[in-house]
């Protein structure tokens, strides 16, 4: 389906052909920052001042300022772009919404950004407010916003910037299923990425632009599809799947860049842990003749910019009372990694689902279902603060209880594995409590789930398609988010329970020293 991938040897061969009249550009890029303005731990959660001083932390806006400045100094011609999802992820976003992101991005001097699905978490109005504040274009090609008053005539599909005497076309790309992933409202219509990108490429080409970069928040596999099925795209800066592309890191999912035909695809993981640095050379016709580089890890070797440290500390002051409160202790680190929590039973999934079920079990609720995409980090061993819990569960989702029959519950589990064999590790994957099930990923959709067993309190019994079960989830899932449309018409639904972060923190506190565990509730064949 995809065009062949270039080997590193082929890329080196292209490099050898560079001529003096060629145009060179350094593309610096980030993606999926998720409000990680402060340094993060190896678990992508908050990192203490003591650990930061000891050199054990990564990222944060202050390191990113230095990394960008250093990279710009290595190039006489560069741009800085973002692959989306600046919003959501920590208390900074909960408190400031997009204001602090806009301030930091303006400080860093971004040249362009695409709309990520999380930019719609609080509706089009918050995105529009962010757009009013930033000093660079934010773009989205594959959507019709003409009927949405907050965005109509304001949110462009593409833009042209100039650098080093040359015009560069930027095109934005957003997940086609953003209406399921976030809250864009009913007036924004999302469309196929390939056709949308090609339409903007043709438009830019007609305006004399022959160097075109797609800022894509659609995932690594979609990026490869777009590269293979369009013409005229030179570079795709990826996001959404938190993909690390690298030629040196053993955890990389592919080479940096991944070449599909003559299109260079890059992605720099997430949370500001890396700054992507791609060096591209174009010939006079605008064709890519060289594309090389590597993401730069923002570890302790990258100094923190002092002024930015001070500004983030100032912004953090209103949050301290909430997030510094110690709510529990854990006996070991709790794994909340994306790779695990969106593909199989994971420790954080068990904790959250167990906490949800324990809270409402006395109300006749039998099973809990938590979407893996709602779990945004792990926890380190030892003291757990409220801020740590909010980093894991930042969305301010509330507990939702409802009733469905067994057939609907089975449909929900099938939805959870709809994209099970997709590298996107989709957030619809279900973490559960009060039930067990088996996944056979090789089966066709609709037949991947089997051996569903429900805990009756006196043992497990097979799921009865006709029987009505009490379910607890969160208001996002109950409302149809992450593809759970089968829950929208559930019986006796109540979406206004306590904040999920509070439920989990209270459950941890009651445990008196929580020990993470796996018990085989999800089996993968």
């Amino acid at each position: 389906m995809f065009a062949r991938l270039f080997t590193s040897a082929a890329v080196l061969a292209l490099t050898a052909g560079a001529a003096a009249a060629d145009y060179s550009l350094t593309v610096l890029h980030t993606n999926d920052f998720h409000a990680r303005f402060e340094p993060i731990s190896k678990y992508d959660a908050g990192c203490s001042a003591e650990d930061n001083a000891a050199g054990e932390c990564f990222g944060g806006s202050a390191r990113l300022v230095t990394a960008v400045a250093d990279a710009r100094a290595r190039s006489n011609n560069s741009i800085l772009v973002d692959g989306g999802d600046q919003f959501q992820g920590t208390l900074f976003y909960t408190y400031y919404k997009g204001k602090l992101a806009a301030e930091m991005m303006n400080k860093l001097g971004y040249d362009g950004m695409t709309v990520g699905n999380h930019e719609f978490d609080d509706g089009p109005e918050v995105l529009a407010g962010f757009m009013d504040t930033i000093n660079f274009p934010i773009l989205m090609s594959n959507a019709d916003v003409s009927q949405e008053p907050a965005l109509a005539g304001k949110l462009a599909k593409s833009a042209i910037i100039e650098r080093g005497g040359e015009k560069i076309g930027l095109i934005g790309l957003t997940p086609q299923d953003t209406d399921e992933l976030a809250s864009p409202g009913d007036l924004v219509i999302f469309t196929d990425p390939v056709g949308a990108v090609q339409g903007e490429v043709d438009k830019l080409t007609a305006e004399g632009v022959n160097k075109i970069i797609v800022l894509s928040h659609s995932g690594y596999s979609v990026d490869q599809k777009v590269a293979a099925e369009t013409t005229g795209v030179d570079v795709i800066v990826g996001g959404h799947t938190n993909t690390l592309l690298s030629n040196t890191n053993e955890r990389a999912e592919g080479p940096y860049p991944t070449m599909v035909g003559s299109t260079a695809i890059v992605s720099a993981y997430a949370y500001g842990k890396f700054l992507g640095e791609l060096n591209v050379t174009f010939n006079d016709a605008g064709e890519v003749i060289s594309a090389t580089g590597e993401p730069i890890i923002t570890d302790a070797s990258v100094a923190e910019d002092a002024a930015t440290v001070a500004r983030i500390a100032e912004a953090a002051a209103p949050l301290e009372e909430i997030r510094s409160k110690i709510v529990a202790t854990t006996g070991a680190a709790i794994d909340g990694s994306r790779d695990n929590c969106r593909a199989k039973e994971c420790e954080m999934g068990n904790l959250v689902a167990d906490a949800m079920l324990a809270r409402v079990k006395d109300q006749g609720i039998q099973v809990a279902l938590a979407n893996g995409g709602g779990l945004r980090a792990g926890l380190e061993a030892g003291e757990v603060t409220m801020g740590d819990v909010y980093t894991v569960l930042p969305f301010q989702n509330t507990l939702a209880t409802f009733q469905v029959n067994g057939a609907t519950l089975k449909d929900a589990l099938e939805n959870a594995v709809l994209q099970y064999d997709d590298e996107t590790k989709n957030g619809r994957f279900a973490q559960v409590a009060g039930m067990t099930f088996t996944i056979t990923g090789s089966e066709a959709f609709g037949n991947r789930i089997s051996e569903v067993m429900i805990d009756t309190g006196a043992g497990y019994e097979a799921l009865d398609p006709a029987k009505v079960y009490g379910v607890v989830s969160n208001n996002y899932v109950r409302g149809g988010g992450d593809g759970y449309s089968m829950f929208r018409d559930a019986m006796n639904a109540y979406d206004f329970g306590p904040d999920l972060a509070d439920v989990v923190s209270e459950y941890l506190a009651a445990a008196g020293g929580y020990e993470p565990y796996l018990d085989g509730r999800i089996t993968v064949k």
Side-chain angles (χ1 to χ4, degrees):
M1 174 173 151
F2 301 142
R4 74 182 172 85
L5 304 183
F6 272 30
T7 64
S8 57
V11 174
L12 289 174
L14 287 174
T15 307
D22 296 333
Y23 173 79
S24 295
L25 177 70
T26 299
V27 181
L28 305 175
H29 59 97
T30 55
N31 58 278
D32 300 278
F33 187 70
H34 288 299
R36 296 307 205 275
F37 302 105
E38 293 178 318
I40 58 174
S41 72
K42 62 182 179 181
Y43 300 105
D44 299 332
C47 201
S48 69
E50 293 78 14
D51 287 345
N52 194 35
E56 298 177 6
C57 302
F58 304 85
S61 295
R63 280 196 181 91
L64 198 54
V65 166
T66 300
V68 168
D70 290 347
R72 282 175 172 149
R74 289 191 290 271
S75 170
N76 60 2
N77 197 43
S78 66
I79 61 172
L80 174 63
V81 292
D82 185 76
D85 273 7
Q86 282 281 327
F87 285 16
Q88 201 65 266
T90 67
L91 273 179
F92 282 106
Y93 178 77
T94 305
Y95 189 84
Y96 292 105
K97 299 304 177 186
K99 293 179 182 177
L100 190 59
E103 179 184 338
M104 286 296 113
M105 294 188 83
N106 286 340
K107 179 183 179 72
L108 283 157
Y110 277 85
D111 295 289
M113 173 186 175
T114 189
V115 178
N117 53 287
H118 284 290
E119 270 72 66
F120 279 111
D121 277 352
D122 288 283
E125 295 79 12
V126 171
L127 172 58
F130 174 72
M131 293 173 65
D132 288 338
T133 312
I134 57 177
N135 299 330
F136 52 88
I138 182 169
L139 308 166
M140 182 170 68
S141 65
N142 62 319
D144 179 358
V145 299
S146 61
Q147 302 305 307
E148 171 49 60
L151 302 176
K154 184 175 185 176
L155 180 54
K157 296 176 181 290
S158 62
I160 300 172
I161 62 173
E162 291 195 14
R163 194 58 40 89
E166 294 284 335
K167 292 180 179 180
I168 301 166
L170 303 178
I171 300 171
L173 194 57
T174 300
Q176 191 173 357
D177 59 350
T178 291
D179 57 333
E180 294 181 0
L181 302 175
S183 302
D186 297 330
L187 302 178
V188 180
I189 309 301
F190 296 88
T191 59
D192 175 69
V194 172
V197 168
Q198 190 64 64
E200 291 306 300
V201 170
D202 294 345
K203 174 186 170 184
L204 291 167
T205 302
E207 296 179 37
V209 180
N210 65 5
K211 300 169 185 64
I212 295 175
I213 300 173
V214 173
L215 310 180
S216 170
H217 193 80
S218 293
Y220 188 37
S221 63
V222 174
D223 292 344
Q224 293 175 81
K225 177 180 172 66
V226 169
E229 298 182 10
T230 61
T231 58
V233 175
D234 298 304
V235 177
I236 299 178
V237 173
H240 189 47
T241 47
N242 294 19
T243 301
L244 175 62
L245 299 179
S246 171
N247 304 310
T248 60
N249 192 305
E250 62 183 15
R251 297 181 62 186
E253 297 180 42
Y256 184 102
T258 295
M259 299 297 299
V260 176
S262 60
T263 303
I265 301 171
V266 293
S267 180
Y269 184 56
Y271 313 124
K273 191 173 279 189
F274 295 86
L275 172 67
E277 185 179 26
L278 178 70
N279 299 301
V280 188
T281 301
F282 301 85
N283 63 18
D284 288 342
E287 299 165 334
V288 174
I289 59 173
S290 171
T292 60
E294 183 71 13
I296 304 157
I297 190 164
T298 56
D299 59 12
S301 66
V302 180
E304 294 183 280
D305 175 69
T308 308
V309 170
R311 175 64 188 111
I312 298 301
E314 180 185 31
L319 316 179
E320 283 306 318
E321 183 177 352
I322 300 171
R323 65 180 186 173
S324 62
K325 178 184 177 184
I326 297 171
V327 296
T329 60
T330 63
I334 303 174
D335 173 36
S337 68
R338 178 192 183 101
D339 284 350
N340 289 332
C341 292
R342 300 187 182 200
K344 58 186 177 181
E345 177 190 0
C346 75
E347 292 170 349
M348 187 60 72
N350 285 358
L351 165 61
V352 173
D354 287 350
M356 293 164 67
L357 184 56
R359 185 63 170 254
V360 295
K361 199 167 187 178
D362 62 356
Q363 300 175 24
I365 302 300
Q366 295 156 279
V367 298
L369 187 154
N371 57 319
L375 312 177
R376 309 304 289 192
L379 290 172
E380 297 194 60
E383 292 182 341
V384 177
T385 66
M386 197 65 212
D388 294 330
V389 177
Y390 276 123
T391 299
V392 175
L393 301 163
F395 298 111
Q396 295 183 294
N397 291 137
T398 54
L399 224 56
T401 54
F402 52 96
Q403 292 177 312
V404 294
N405 63 27
T408 301
L409 192 54
K410 169 69 159 48
D411 287 345
L413 294 177
E414 291 288 355
N415 172 71
V417 294
L418 174 63
Q419 295 170 296
Y420 187 71
D421 52 357
D422 192 327
E423 54 85 25
T424 57
K425 302 268 189 313
N426 198 275
R428 70 183 68 215
F429 188 86
Q431 298 291 329
V432 299
M435 67 189 304
T436 65
F437 61 91
T438 296
I439 305 168
T440 306
S442 59
E443 293 291 336
F445 172 64
N447 295 297
R448 294 178 173 180
I449 299 296
S450 62
E451 302 172 28
V452 183
M453 304 293 289
I454 305 297
D455 186 0
T456 66
Y460 281 83
E461 66 179 24
L463 179 76
D464 182 344
K467 185 175 180 178
V468 173
Y469 296 93
V471 181
V472 60
S473 188
N474 61 60
N475 62 313
Y476 171 71
V477 168
R478 217 290 299 169
D482 273 340
Y484 288 95
S485 58
M486 68 291 297
F487 289 157
R488 287 177 181 154
D489 298 322
M491 298 175 285
N492 299 316
Y494 182 75
D495 297 334
F496 309 106
D499 187 295
L500 185 53
D502 291 333
V503 170
V504 171
S505 65
E506 291 168 16
Y507 182 81
L508 282 170
Y514 182 82
E515 294 288 341
Y517 72 98
L518 302 174
D519 61 8
R521 61 187 69 179
I522 301 174
T523 302
V524 178
K525 288 185 177 179

